[in-house]
Amino acid sequence: MWTLFSDLGSWLVSGEQWSGTDGIGHRLLEHLQYSLLATLIAAVIALPVGLLIGHTGKGAFLAINLASFGRALPTVGLVVLVFLAAGLSMTPVYVALVALAVPAIVTNTYAGMTAVDPEVRDAARGQGMRGHQVLFRVELPLAMPLVMTGLRLALIQVVSTATIAAYVSFGGLGRYVFDGLAQRDLVQVLGGAVLVAVVAIVLDLALSGLQRALFRHRPATR
Amino acid sequence: MSVEWSWIADHAGDLTTLALSHLQAALSAVFFGLLIALPLAVVAHRIRPLRGFLLGLSNILFTIPSIAVFVLLLPVSGLTRTTTVIGLTIYTLTVLLRNTVEGLDAVPARAREASKAMGTRPLRTLLTVELPLALPVIMAGVRIATIMSISLVSVATYIGDGGLGQLFTDGFQRDFPTPVVAGVVLTLLLALVADALLVAVQYALTPWTRKRGA
């Protein structure tokens, strides 16, 4: 057990491990690229949907069921399915990651919008604000902490799950996990797993720091 | 991409076995998750200084990728069902702990004080007043944890377990979509049925919530 961890330590710090296209540096960048792009695509799709459902109050049923459906969808199955349908490309990985992230963002955005005090909304209308002004100047700023929570949740899940890119022979930190499993090299597997966990935790801390800096005037909702 | 129905008909028995094994792993995880989360939640609810620590710790555990959790457990419990269940249990903890603490927080102080005034001891107040009143919020957590576990079991296919997840590996290796489709559909069905059953259980356990007509 202890030798395993000391081997892991030397694996992580050895210089050759960090350079070249198989190196940790390169894999780390790939992993970040997959994760950030997938979360960005998901946010572009999910934020307007969540805001619209919350603002109009229509489609709440959709939002709630989308959440359960999204949680129940097995990501590995989705990747393999799109892979068999669309062939070898990054598309299956992005489809699966976006499908994973969209429900978390939609439901949290929607939750944030419904948590806005109706009296505040009425007051804004009473002052003569139009629908889009109420949405962007009143509802969205008030819903922002929960919107950010949704984005954080989505990003964590995406970073963790981006490991599967390696399953359909692409890069990222999952490479070490799957290569290590194939070569029965436990140190390599553990190294990959630890790196993914560290990336997820660091990104989450960064986003929560950003959240705190941007919304200092308001106590965090969660 | 077409589904070969004859394959599904020929393998109905295997599919049932895999689905049952899948369900067993997911439900065991929720069971053990509850076993750990309930006492921890009571502690986090009663002893404020520990609250942030416990909730933070469970959040960090949630941050670790599921495949990583399974792999990190390999030196401890090997390529076994135990590894699958421990890994999934860790995942259920975050949701179960947070919801149980929130449920206990939401119990009206009046109910607690009334029970105290009647001379009921703290443990009995917890079991007969606080936990039942917190049940709707706790059950919401149990539902999320169950659905999540059912979806996550497939990840254990990388360590040779994974219930219906084995269909994904099989279909991938043979370039044959039918098992993959069957696996995805069956996973969604299991989650749907389990969730409906939990709603029914909650309905049966909380008769007092019905009369209010909320």
Side-chain angles (χ1 to χ4, degrees):
Chain A
M1 188 87 178
W2 287 116
T3 48
L4 189 67
F5 281 110
S6 70
D7 287 351
L8 179 64
S10 37
W11 185 86
L12 281 172
V13 295
S14 77
E16 62 196 286
Q17 204 57 254
W18 281 85
S19 54
T21 45
D22 287 337
I24 296 175
H26 183 67
R27 296 285 180 229
L28 197 69
L29 284 180
E30 283 176 334
H31 203 93
L32 282 174
Q33 186 200 325
Y34 302 158
S35 311
L36 294 177
L37 185 57
T39 311
L40 188 71
I41 299 172
V44 168
I45 299 169
L47 282 177
V49 175
L51 289 176
L52 199 69
I53 293 176
H55 180 66
T56 58
K58 285 174 192 155
F61 182 77
L62 176 84
I64 292 157
N65 283 292
L66 187 70
S68 329
F69 188 77
R71 281 195 198 100
L73 205 60
T75 315
V76 189
L78 198 59
V79 171
V80 175
L81 205 58
V82 181
F83 171 80
L84 293 179
L88 185 67
S89 69
M90 267 303 282
T91 315
V93 179
Y94 280 122
V95 168
L97 293 181
V98 170
L100 184 76
V102 162
I105 302 175
V106 170
T107 48
N108 273 279
T109 307
Y110 168 73
M113 293 288 284
T114 50
V116 174
D117 189 343
E119 282 183 22
V120 176
R121 204 176 291 146
D122 288 345
R125 288 211 181 270
Q127 286 184 330
M129 280 195 185
R130 289 161 189 274
H132 63 94
Q133 288 173 318
V134 177
L135 174 60
F136 289 111
R137 291 201 201 158
V138 179
E139 290 176 312
L140 183 57
L142 285 173
M144 215 49 207
L146 267 178
V147 174
M148 288 293 289
T149 306
L151 286 173
R152 277 171 60 190
L153 248 162
L155 187 61
I156 292 180
Q157 285 179 293
V158 167
V159 170
S160 311
T161 317
T163 325
I164 51 170
Y167 187 62
V168 283
S169 42
F170 284 93
L173 294 169
R175 212 47 283 158
Y176 299 118
V177 175
F178 286 100
D179 289 352
L181 274 175
Q183 299 159 11
R184 309 227 165 254
D185 175 4
L186 201 56
V187 173
Q188 196 184 344
V189 180
L190 286 173
V194 168
L195 285 170
V196 179
V198 169
V199 170
I201 292 172
V202 167
L203 281 179
D204 188 47
L205 286 177
L207 267 187
S208 81
L210 184 73
Q211 184 177 355
R212 232 168 287 158
L214 286 176
F215 311 108
R216 232 176 325 184
H217 53 292
R218 214 173 299 116
T221 316
R222 241 163 227 237
Chain B
M1 188 163 56
S2 58
V3 176
E4 276 181 36
W5 293 102
S6 58
W7 184 91
I8 291 180
D10 290 344
H11 293 81
D14 298 338
L15 291 177
T16 315
T17 314
L18 285 176
L20 287 177
S21 139
H22 193 103
L23 200 61
Q24 192 242 334
L27 295 185
S28 315
V30 177
F31 173 76
F32 289 118
L34 269 176
L35 219 57
I36 300 170
L38 282 180
L40 282 183
V42 173
V43 170
H45 173 68
R46 295 258 168 105
I47 308 169
R48 293 282 147 164
L50 280 177
R51 182 197 179 91
F53 170 75
L54 285 172
L55 289 176
L57 189 70
S58 78
N59 274 336
I60 288 180
L61 287 176
F62 186 74
T63 316
I64 304 173
S66 47
I67 170 114
V69 171
F70 290 134
V71 170
L72 288 170
L73 283 168
L74 285 182
V76 183
S77 46
L79 290 166
T80 60
R81 177 41 63 96
T82 316
T83 303
T84 312
V85 175
I86 298 178
L88 291 173
T89 303
I90 290 175
Y91 261 76
T92 63
L93 271 183
T94 313
V95 184
L96 292 174
L97 187 62
R98 196 181 47 214
N99 274 57
T100 310
V101 171
E102 272 175 21
L104 288 174
D105 285 350
V107 172
R110 263 186 235 164
R112 205 172 285 138
E113 278 155 21
S115 168
K116 211 196 226 172
M118 281 161 56
T120 317
R121 289 186 194 183
L123 182 64
R124 200 156 157 209
T125 303
L126 177 71
L127 293 177
T128 58
V129 177
E130 294 181 287
L131 279 179
L133 283 176
L135 206 58
V137 187
I138 298 176
M139 283 300 286
V142 173
R143 285 174 61 191
I144 296 177
T146 307
I147 294 181
M148 258 178 31
S149 294
I150 290 178
S151 143
L152 273 176
V153 175
S154 340
V155 179
T157 184
Y158 302 130
I159 56 155
D161 191 4
L164 294 165
Q166 290 174 33
L167 296 169
F168 305 151
T169 318
D170 180 42
F172 179 65
Q173 284 167 350
R174 293 194 288 146
D175 196 7
F176 179 42
T178 303
V180 186
V181 175
V184 171
V185 172
L186 283 174
T187 307
L188 288 176
L189 268 180
L190 283 184
L192 200 73
V193 172
D195 193 49
L197 286 177
L198 284 174
V199 172
V201 168
Q202 182 181 347
Y203 185 81
L205 286 180
T206 56
W208 61 89
T209 56
R210 282 171 234 163
K211 286 166 194 159
R212 278 183 215 149

